[in-house]
């Protein structure tokens, strides 16, 4: 069955999900952050089918999140090392962890703590504004088309409504556009 591709959508969430594709891919990356580098170790830790793991590793290498490096020549064996792009994905996993800790943990508490070596405290991830360093809450942000958004789409009424470019209803209490997303 052919899978729909989101790789060319003008949306970073869609493009990221196109890369991830399924639940195994972020788990493979999680294991890489735990220090796993070799195929058999990924397979053992995750209990994933070998063919599925091969495909996920191939996809992550192809996308530039992992790099395949030879560690033995007789027989030829490779390990998978996080690239700069792969290491940068750690923030995505931390954000997912923070959300899961808040909404999915049971009464016994969070399953894994994140210890910040720099300050010596256990912490959780927060998304903050890169300019003022204040937390970025849903009610305080507005999506806008960026320089990479296809200009040809900006004339479509549904896109203009999504980005509240003109004529979007306003919330009188806050003078912010009302949420018109489906």
């Amino acid at each position: 069955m052919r899978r729909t591709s989101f790789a060319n959508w003008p949306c970073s969430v869609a493009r990221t999900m196109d890369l991830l594709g399924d639940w195994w891919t972020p788990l493979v990356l999680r294991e890489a952050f735990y220090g796993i580098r070799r195929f058999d170790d990924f397979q053992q830790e995750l209990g994933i089918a070998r063919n599925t793991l091969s495909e996920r590793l191939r996809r992550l290498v192809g996308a530039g999140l992992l790099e395949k490096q030879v560690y033995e020549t007789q027989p030829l064996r490779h390990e998978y090392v996080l690239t700069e792009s792969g290491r940068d994905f750690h923030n995505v996993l931390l954000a997912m962890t923070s959300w899961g800790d808040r909404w999915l943990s049971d009464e016994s508490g969070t399953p894994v703590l994140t210890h910040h070596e720099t300050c010596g405290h256990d912490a959780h991830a927060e998304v903050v504004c890169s300019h003022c360093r204040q937390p970025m809450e849903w009610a305080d942000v507005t999506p806008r088309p960026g320089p990479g958004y296809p200009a040809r789409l900006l004339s479509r009424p549904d896109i203009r409504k999504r980005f509240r470019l003109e004529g979007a209803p306003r919330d009188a209490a806050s003078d912010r556009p009302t949420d018109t997303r489906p």
Side-chain angles (χ1 to χ4, degrees), residues 56-76:
R56 296 325 175 267
L57 290 169
R58 184 194 61 73
R59 184 186 309 152
L60 290 167
V61 168
L65 279 84
L66 293 175
E67 182 178 273
K68 197 172 173 180
Q69 296 179 349
V70 174
Y71 73 88
E72 187 175 299
T73 57
Q74 292 296 329
L76 183 62

Side-chain angles (χ1 to χ4, degrees), residues 1-7 9 18:
M1 174 165 59
R2 182 165 152 67
R3 175 175 81 86
T4 300
S5 175
F6 302 118
W9 280 33
D18 190 76

Side-chain angles (χ1 to χ4, degrees), residues 39-64:
F39 185 94
D40 289 338
D41 295 334
F42 280 111
Q43 201 276 324
Q44 181 180 342
E45 290 300 318
L46 292 169
I48 184 175
R50 294 180 75 79
N51 63 326
T52 302
L53 178 58
S54 292
E55 163 58 24
R56 296 325 175 267
L57 290 169
R58 184 194 61 73
R59 184 186 309 152
L60 290 167
V61 168

Side-chain angles (χ1 to χ4, degrees), residues 99-128:
W99 184 88
D101 287 348
R102 178 172 181 193
W103 296 104
L104 302 176
S105 291
D106 60 23
E107 60 279 346
S108 63
T110 60
V112 177
L113 297 174
T114 302
H115 187 78
H116 188 222
E117 297 296 335
T118 303
C119 71
H121 291 91
D122 292 338
H124 64 274
E126 288 186 356
V127 177
V128 299

Side-chain angles (χ1 to χ4, degrees), residues 7-182:
N8 295 317
W9 280 33
C11 172
S12 293
V13 173
R15 290 175 180 173
T16 302
M17 291 311 299
D18 190 76
L19 169 68
L20 296 179
D22 67 317
W23 59 72
W24 285 118
T25 305
L27 294 176
V28 169
L29 286 167
R30 180 199 66 191
E31 293 305 312
F33 284 110
Y34 282 157
I36 301 298
R37 298 176 110 179
R38 297 182 179 172
F39 185 94
D40 289 338
D41 295 334
F42 280 111
Q43 201 276 324
Q44 181 180 342
E45 290 300 318
L46 292 169
I48 184 175
R50 294 180 75 79
N51 63 326
T52 302
L53 178 58
S54 292
E55 163 58 24
R56 296 325 175 267
L57 290 169
R58 184 194 61 73
R59 184 186 309 152
L60 290 167
V61 168
L65 279 84
L66 293 175
E67 182 178 273
K68 197 172 173 180
Q69 296 179 349
V70 174
Y71 73 88
E72 187 175 299
T73 57
Q74 292 296 329
L76 183 62
R77 295 188 187 267
H78 296 90
E79 61 184 8
Y80 299 87
V81 180
L82 289 160
T83 63
E84 181 182 357
S85 173
R87 290 186 302 272
D88 200 37
F89 194 80
H90 190 248
N91 293 335
V92 176
L93 292 179
L94 286 176
M96 292 171 64
T97 300
S98 184
W99 184 88
D101 287 348
R102 178 172 181 193
W103 296 104
L104 302 176
S105 291
D106 60 23
E107 60 279 346
S108 63
T110 60
V112 177
L113 297 174
T114 302
H115 187 78
H116 188 222
E117 297 296 335
T118 303
C119 71
H121 291 91
D122 292 338
H124 64 274
E126 288 186 356
V127 177
V128 299
C129 175
S130 60
H131 292 280
C132 70
R133 310 312 282 172
Q134 295 299 307
M136 292 183 66
E137 302 293 335
W138 174 79
D140 300 327
V141 298
T142 303
R144 299 183 325 154
Y149 201 86
R152 65 182 166 69
L153 295 179
L154 292 175
S155 63
R156 288 180 26 187
D158 60 324
I159 299 299
R160 297 193 71 73
K161 183 178 179 182
R162 170 181 289 169
F163 290 119
R164 302 171 183 116
L165 294 176
E166 62 183 40
R170 309 276 307 172
D171 178 341
S174 67
D175 197 35
R176 286 181 45 85
T178 57
D179 182 21
T180 57
R181 292 174 274 193

